[in-house]
Amino acid sequence: MENMVTRSANTWEAEAEKSRKVRKESIQEQWLLPQGKLPSPDRMNVLSVPKESGLLTQKELDITESDATQLVKKMGAGDWSAEEVTVAFLKRATIGHQLLNNATEFMVEDAIARARELDTYFAQHKKLIGPLHGVPVSTKEHIWHKGRVASGAYAAQVDKIAPEDSHLVRLAKNSGAVFHLRTNEPLTLMTGDCHNNIWGQTLNPWHLKLSCGGSSGGEGASIGFKSAAIGLGTDIGGSIRIPAAFNGIYGFRPSASRMPYDGIELPGAGQESVKCVIGPLARSIDDISLLMQTILDQEPWDTEVALLPLPWKSVESSKDITVGIMWSDGIVHPHPPMTRALKKAKAKLQAGGIKVIDWEPFKSMEILQLIVTLFFPDGGKAITGLVAASGEPMNNEATSFLQHARELTVTENWACNAQRDQLRAEFHALMKERGVDVILCPPYVGGAPERNKMDYGTYTMLWNLLDQPALVFPTGAVVDPELDPVEIDYKPTNPIDQQQYDKYDPKVFEGAPIGLQVVGKHLRDEETVAAARLIEQMLQN
């Protein structure tokens, strides 16, 4: 038996080493921080290291501090070249990876070659090739890039080469995007942190001891550190929005069947009870709109027939909306900094003339139990089979989550789908009845938890089951022990609430960014983004 275990370990380690070698060979050593410029081990926030390091010129710092919308304007004016922009982000991304372990592969040669093509085009035609001209974009590893491995973080799949670019990557390239970086994800792609047996643990640039979120955790760290202008992640239970919240950035979960999804490496293809979606992580709401419009303007439904033929329409932010504030999901009471952010938002919105009402949570426990059932209608076999195929160990978070997996009969799956559709109809009717346009709520119970201790996701999973668009944005607030002491008078109402209450220690989470989540009605994605823009503007006033 011991020999079997050793052989199995050797097998998966040898397979994992193939992907580690690809990553190592893709790193440009001239862009790494020398030992003497590395931050001290007791420093937790590393966001300003690129500026302090002296490795980037002032121009490169200006470039990497800009969002995609600003970059396109600068390149359109001829102030910056696509090659300058690409190299600046590659340099910053290399430092980021050195500090955060967020990269799975750098695509340096491809990125610089593409940037030079764009510069040649601009020189000849005196115009940009498209709306994403020269914008450096990072992608979660399981999104296909032609000729490159897409393992989905499974050691059993390290030889799985993508036959073509994913549909979304192709459309972004058509618009001028430059893909320079691929990023880390957790084993199973179903947990709220970012650790696997191939590439290890990704860290949070705001606080190295806290979680960067998951499953698009590498993307969260990438955009949080400004290693890319836009990131592409996926979301089946919060996997875009949780990393966005934890890394102080923007993340958008579109309604299902709007964004092109072909070309993503994920076990369980054909599971349609809860659809995974692809969407942007970004540095501004402008950039979320830019990405959505650029892709949908190309009518992806004409190629990927599972998509809805809905162009991205222009919606102006209007004060004539009603915002429902969901203070709690009815299961877990949020931590003090989250409640503080919601209270401030309510006061600012009301002062700005926006109608605000309190939103009572609706059947949250039923929704939570149903979505967890529908995540694994095969009893989790697609996932556990891939893990077993290499003999690699399963991590604690995935093991804990998979304990809820139960194989459904076809009849049971149908019944669950019918229950899901009924809940969607009831929730939509409730929003209409209460006159609420969007819901403002936490994306998580508080700031980022400690690494590998992210074990509650209902605040995001609700909207996956209901298939409602949801956008997370940073409030600018961070956890502050003086402003956010433990609520000693609060009495938890159930064991899950007690567990999350007990975890809160403002000193542990000090400095973690606080984000909020704006949720719209099904397929009202444009209205949701417009409302989020308005709410953010009100909060900044």
Side-chain angles (χ1 to χ4, degrees):
M1 186 68 181
E2 281 182 17
N3 287 342
M4 284 176 65
V5 171
T6 307
R7 189 161 61 247
S8 176
N10 285 345
T11 301
W12 78 257
E13 271 287 2
E15 292 301 295
E17 195 53 43
K18 294 178 185 175
S19 285
R20 294 177 199 143
K21 184 170 182 278
V22 168
R23 176 172 72 178
K24 187 166 188 281
E25 291 175 354
S26 76
I27 295 171
Q28 303 296 300
E29 293 195 6
Q30 73 271 24
W31 294 334
L32 289 169
L33 286 173
Q35 202 65 33
K37 289 189 182 285
L38 288 170
S40 66
D42 57 352
R43 176 174 171 176
M44 292 298 109
N45 184 313
V46 295
L47 289 168
S48 58
V49 170
K51 188 172 185 178
E52 297 160 13
S53 73
L55 264 66
L56 275 71
T57 65
Q58 187 55 52
K59 187 175 191 179
E60 288 170 334
L61 288 168
D62 291 344
I63 287 169
T64 54
E65 295 285 334
S66 303
D67 70 2
T69 303
Q70 294 168 311
L71 289 172
V72 173
K73 279 181 188 163
K74 282 286 201 178
M75 284 183 276
D79 295 339
W80 296 337
S81 71
E83 185 173 355
E84 284 177 317
V85 169
T86 298
V87 170
F89 275 97
L90 279 166
K91 287 172 76 171
R92 190 169 185 129
T94 303
I95 296 170
H97 172 66
Q98 196 176 2
L99 301 174
L100 306 171
N101 190 44
N102 65 310
T104 63
E105 185 179 9
F106 290 88
M107 300 184 285
V108 178
E109 290 171 7
D110 286 4
I112 292 175
R114 178 59 174 154
R116 286 173 179 164
E117 286 174 8
L118 295 169
D119 287 337
T120 301
Y121 179 92
F122 185 77
Q124 289 174 349
H125 299 278
K126 302 292 183 265
K127 66 175 186 177
L128 301 174
I129 206 164
L132 296 177
H133 181 108
V135 173
V137 180
S138 56
T139 59
K140 192 175 181 178
E141 188 273 348
H142 73 143
I143 297 170
W144 286 4
H145 287 269
K146 185 178 181 178
R148 297 180 185 273
V149 171
S151 68
Y154 290 95
Q157 298 197 138
V158 298
D159 293 322
K160 199 161 188 179
I161 306 290
E164 59 186 358
D165 286 339
S166 77
H167 192 185
L168 183 47
V169 167
R170 290 200 306 274
L171 297 176
K173 280 183 176 178
N174 290 349
S175 309
V178 174
F179 288 91
H180 68 307
L181 174 67
R182 303 177 69 206
T183 63
N184 205 19
E185 63 218 356
L187 179 63
T188 75
L189 293 153
M190 289 297 294
T191 63
D193 210 290
C194 195
H195 176 274
N196 59 62
N197 297 312
I198 301 173
W199 297 292
Q201 176 82 48
T202 296
L203 307 179
N204 183 329
W206 285 77
H207 195 310
L208 298 179
K209 286 189 176 175
L210 300 183
S211 171
C212 67
S215 63
S216 308
E219 281 305 305
S222 167
I223 306 303
F225 195 77
K226 301 175 180 170
S227 298
I230 293 177
L232 298 179
T234 53
D235 191 315
I236 196 172
S239 288
I240 287 171
R241 292 159 290 150
I242 290 165
F246 292 0
N247 292 279
I249 57 171
Y250 301 78
F252 182 51
R253 180 230 178 250
S255 299
S257 303
R258 285 210 70 178
M259 286 290 270
Y261 188 79
D262 281 351
I264 292 172
E265 197 58 48
L266 194 67
Q271 183 282 104
E272 294 198 327
S273 295
V274 184
K275 285 188 175 181
C276 187
V277 302
I278 190 166
L281 295 92
R283 310 245 291 273
S284 66
I285 292 178
D286 283 346
D287 285 5
I288 285 174
S289 291
L290 174 66
L291 191 276
M292 296 297 295
Q293 174 143 17
T294 298
I295 298 306
L296 294 181
D297 277 356
Q298 296 177 68
E299 302 188 351
W301 50 84
D302 196 38
T303 303
E304 190 174 327
V305 295
L307 300 178
L308 297 167
L310 290 176
W312 188 259
K313 60 183 187 285
S314 177
V315 174
E316 292 301 314
S317 299
S318 164
K319 285 191 173 186
D320 188 25
I321 61 168
T322 299
V323 177
I325 295 186
M326 189 176 90
W327 299 94
S328 160
D329 62 6
I331 302 171
V332 168
H333 178 68
H335 291 164
M338 191 60 72
T339 302
R340 171 167 63 90
L342 282 171
K343 284 179 177 174
K344 180 183 176 185
K346 180 179 181 179
K348 289 268 191 180
L349 290 171
Q350 288 179 325
I354 304 292
K355 185 178 178 185
V356 178
I357 68 165
D358 291 338
W359 177 270
E360 290 299 318
F362 175 77
K363 298 189 177 179
S364 294
M365 185 58 83
E366 181 182 342
I367 291 170
L368 173 60
Q369 290 169 340
L370 182 60
I371 194 170
V372 171
T373 300
L374 288 174
F375 280 152
F376 311 112
D378 67 337
K381 286 178 183 173
I383 288 172
T384 55
L386 265 181
V387 174
S390 70
E392 66 178 313
M394 185 83 85
N395 61 34
N396 292 336
E397 296 76 45
T399 301
S400 172
F401 200 41
L402 281 162
Q403 73 185 3
H404 302 290
R406 179 174 69 85
E407 189 167 358
L408 303 179
T409 65
V410 172
T411 309
E412 287 172 329
N413 204 158
W414 288 348
C416 286
N417 289 347
Q419 182 187 358
R420 173 204 65 194
D421 291 347
Q422 181 64 30
L423 284 165
R424 288 177 178 177
E426 288 176 5
F427 200 95
H428 183 75
L430 201 57
M431 285 186 77
K432 284 169 64 179
E433 181 189 313
R434 294 178 181 175
V436 167
D437 297 288
V438 293
I439 293 168
L440 182 65
C441 64
Y444 178 63
V445 295
E450 292 177 272
R451 286 204 308 261
N452 300 312
K453 292 186 179 177
M454 198 300 189
D455 56 4
Y456 187 74
T458 307
Y459 281 100
T460 50
M461 289 196 290
L462 289 172
W463 318 116
N464 294 84
L465 191 282
L466 296 170
D467 193 16
Q468 295 183 211
L471 188 151
V472 165
F473 68 96
T475 63
V478 297
V479 179
D480 182 330
E482 287 195 18
L483 297 174
D484 306 312
V486 175
E487 293 177 279
I488 49 174
D489 295 332
Y490 178 72
K491 298 287 181 282
T493 59
N494 61 68
I496 307 175
D497 194 20
Q498 182 74 56
Q499 181 188 30
Q500 299 302 323
Y501 175 81
D502 291 342
K503 279 185 178 185
Y504 181 63
D505 179 343
K507 287 192 175 142
V508 170
F509 307 122
E510 185 172 4
I514 298 297
L516 291 176
Q517 181 174 216
V518 179
V519 181
K521 293 173 181 169
H522 178 60
L523 293 176
R524 301 293 180 129
D525 297 41
E526 295 90 336
E527 288 85 350
T528 306
V529 173
R533 188 192 302 278
L534 176 71
I535 291 167
E536 182 185 47
Q537 286 166 351
M538 292 281 179
L539 263 61
Q540 288 171 347
N541 286 346

